[in-house]
Amino acid sequence: MLSLVPTRLLQSGRSPLSPGSRAGLGAAVALLAIVSMLELADGRRAHYVALLAAAPILAAALAAWRVVLGVGAVATVIGIAFAVTDPKMMLVNSVNMVAVGLASGLAVAVAWVRQRQAEQIAELTKLASVAQQAVLRPLGPQIGMLSVAGRYISSTATAEIGGDLYEAIDTPYGVRMIIGDVRGKGLDAVRLASIVLGSYRHVAYERADLRAVVADLDRAVARNVGDEDFVTAALVEERGGTLTIVNCGHPSPLLLRRGAVIPLEPPAPAPPLGFMPAVRPRVERLEPGDRLLLFTDGLGEARRDGEFFPTADRAWRLLGHGTVADGLASLETALVEWVHGRLDDDIALVLMEYVGSRTGVTSAVPSWEVGAAES
């Protein structure tokens, strides 16, 4: 972990040394002090000069190359000071000093390479984070008659990048949301996620029926993936207090109502996007205060010692308080504590709360009925 600490403080001028350099310098100085005390205790004989070569090598594991160079120079000076006091072992001490010099040069080279790699990793991580932020726009806090919050939990500390996706938009057909999970990880997964979201942000405004939205997204996925690639997704529409859900191989959303947690299973299973899913909508009538949790399979797969995180059992206690953003924060804290900070997969979370219909607005026809009327 310390090998990834960049030397930004050194470059910014706020501090002469970065935390990693300070740790490496401290360890090297301690070693130099120990060797010096051993030599002083041994009198005029220089028996431990060769041990000075370990100081720059130790510093190279943590510190910047300039610090390692300084440690090597100090080790060489100390070695020469002790070597000249023992003329009887001049040849041996000369060989030892050459070894110290070579070790210092090698340590500087290693530290330089490690520092360059750390800087490249930091730059790639920053680019990955920017790429994902461009794909996943912030949600809420209010969309139509829904309070909405989204959260992305990365399985790695070094890069928040993966194929989980979500979006919520207010369309002429009601508030529509999507949550999905692209098979795979990395930039290819982010590319496919951006394609799905780009298509969704267009067709969600154009198609009255969620089944037509699914068909358009399926074609977009099929045009851009291989035979074994796919995207699981759940699409949700809230219109006039009526909730319509279509599910394409995705974990079922959880409805939180008056202390109960209800999995909204689809009427019939459907394959993911990319495999021509034929979906059947599930329709629920919402009550003010109802909350709906959408999540990717990383939540269902989170476990410790073979025991899965009890999402349904703990959902109400974690998600039923405060704002929807507060609920997601509580869920993430409990989840990370459960797995001891070790997640196997990225997780996307969306939590919405139905706050009630506008006064004087009649109940609108949900998209699945609109589609049936048009067909």
Side-chain angles (χ1 to χ4, degrees):
M1 190 67 181
L2 286 173
S3 63
L4 296 180
V5 177
T7 57
R8 293 179 181 173
L9 292 177
L10 181 61
Q11 296 172 356
S12 63
R14 296 180 182 176
S15 174
L17 295 176
S18 68
S21 293
R22 286 197 294 269
L25 180 59
V29 168
L31 181 58
L32 291 174
I34 292 173
V35 174
S36 298
M37 286 188 293
L38 288 174
E39 287 289 3
L40 291 173
D42 198 39
R44 297 177 60 85
R45 306 303 299 271
H47 289 157
Y48 306 103
V49 171
L51 295 178
L52 295 170
I57 294 176
L58 179 61
L62 303 172
W65 69 267
R66 291 183 178 87
V67 175
V68 177
L69 180 61
V71 170
V74 173
T76 302
V77 171
I78 293 176
I80 293 174
F82 283 115
V84 297
T85 63
D86 189 6
K88 294 182 179 180
M89 298 183 64
M90 186 61 66
L91 178 60
V92 175
N93 289 334
S94 298
V95 173
N96 288 337
M97 293 314 304
V98 170
V100 172
L102 291 176
S104 299
L106 179 62
V108 169
V110 170
W112 183 83
V113 171
R114 179 188 52 77
Q115 185 176 341
R116 290 279 296 178
Q117 291 177 340
E119 292 172 351
Q120 291 174 356
I121 291 174
E123 185 65 21
L124 290 175
T125 300
K126 181 179 178 181
L127 291 175
S129 179
V130 171
Q132 189 139 39
Q133 290 173 9
V135 173
L136 297 179
R137 302 185 300 195
L139 298 184
Q142 189 80 18
I143 305 177
M145 288 291 97
L146 301 176
S147 297
V148 182
R151 206 170 187 92
Y152 191 97
I153 307 173
S154 176
S155 61
T156 60
T158 55
E160 294 185 357
I161 187 165
D164 292 19
L165 59 97
Y166 54 75
E167 180 61 289
I169 51 181
D170 196 359
T171 75
Y173 310 104
V175 177
R176 285 179 165 177
M177 292 179 283
I178 184 174
I179 190 164
D181 190 358
V182 176
R183 179 180 180 270
K185 292 184 178 182
L187 291 177
D188 288 340
V190 173
R191 179 186 63 85
L192 184 54
S194 67
I195 291 172
V196 173
L197 287 176
S199 299
Y200 175 76
R201 287 162 181 159
H202 172 71
V203 300
Y205 288 98
E206 303 296 327
R207 303 295 190 185
D209 191 338
L210 281 181
R211 292 170 294 186
V213 175
V214 169
D216 288 341
L217 295 180
D218 178 69
R219 286 191 290 270
V221 171
R223 286 193 297 265
N224 291 278
V225 300
D227 294 336
E228 298 182 357
D229 294 324
F230 56 84
V231 181
T232 67
L235 284 75
V236 177
E237 176 188 286
E238 183 279 320
R239 190 176 187 188
T242 298
L243 187 72
T244 306
I245 303 172
V246 293
N247 197 316
C248 305
H250 199 77
S252 300
L254 298 179
L255 176 64
L256 285 70
R257 174 178 291 168
R258 298 193 300 271
V261 179
I262 307 168
L264 299 183
E265 303 284 350
L273 299 173
F275 294 114
M276 296 183 291
V279 295
R280 291 179 57 188
R282 172 162 181 165
V283 180
E284 297 285 337
R285 189 66 186 174
L286 291 174
E287 301 175 2
D290 282 353
R291 291 189 173 187
L292 186 71
L293 175 66
L294 309 175
F295 56 94
T296 54
D297 59 5
L299 178 61
E301 295 173 357
R303 58 187 179 272
R304 68 177 181 193
D305 302 327
E307 185 179 0
F308 291 95
F309 181 74
T311 304
D313 294 338
R314 302 183 63 180
W316 179 259
R317 295 195 301 272
L318 295 172
L319 301 171
H321 68 91
T323 65
V324 288
D326 294 334
L328 289 185
S330 296
L331 177 58
E332 179 179 359
T333 300
L335 178 64
V336 172
E337 180 181 356
W338 177 272
V339 300
H340 303 301
R342 299 177 181 177
L343 290 170
D344 296 327
D345 195 7
D346 295 352
I347 302 172
L349 303 170
V350 176
L351 183 63
M352 55 150 268
E353 179 180 352
Y354 178 62
V355 297
S357 301
R358 296 184 181 91
T359 304
V361 176
T362 59
S363 178
V365 180
S367 68
W368 63 277
E369 293 185 359
V370 172
E374 292 179 349
S375 59

